[in-house]
Amino acid sequence: ETGDRTGREILNALFKEITGLGFVGLALFLTFHTGLGDAASERFLGEAVGAEGENALAETFEDVHIMIFMLMVVLLFQATAAFWTGRRVIDCWSKYSQTRSFGTADDSLETMFVQAGYLERRPNKA
């Protein structure tokens, strides 16, 4: 249950990031396809759209949009790696928390150390 809650929190954070980036992309798309971008370029940069239809502001926003997309891809890979690493750690510690320290049972730490060669069982001479 803990791993599922952690995964759900990671997915919720990712969806918030993707949604935010999607709204930024939509706003930029609408701005430059309705002509507002051309007017903003002329007002803020002091230059109109070039003869070949180039708009310095639009190209800058396009470059930034590509960088943000690449950042999102890296974020997705990092979140996936964090999720799977966290899942493995949770499973490992869950196993250890349920393991007995001493005894001859197969799942006790003493038996694991004997099987790995760190300990040797000797009869009690008392």
Side-chain angles (χ1 to χ4, degrees), residues 84-113:
W84 288 113
T85 302
R87 175 67 92 175
R88 286 199 327 247
V89 169
I90 287 170
D91 291 343
C92 180
W93 281 100
S94 175
K95 179 182 172 186
Y96 287 141
S97 71
Q98 297 171 5
T99 301
R100 297 181 64 142
S101 297
F102 298 102
T104 57
D106 289 337
D107 61 345
S108 72
L109 284 176
E110 180 182 354
T111 301
M112 290 181 197
F113 285 145

Side-chain angles (χ1 to χ4, degrees), residues 4-32:
D4 294 337
R5 188 179 78 231
T6 303
R8 194 175 319 119
E9 289 175 10
I10 290 173
L11 283 176
N12 284 338
L14 280 176
F15 286 138
K16 286 179 186 176
E17 288 292 327
I18 292 171
T19 303
L21 292 174
F23 280 121
V24 168
L26 178 65
L28 290 175
F29 175 81
L30 292 175
T31 299
F32 286 102

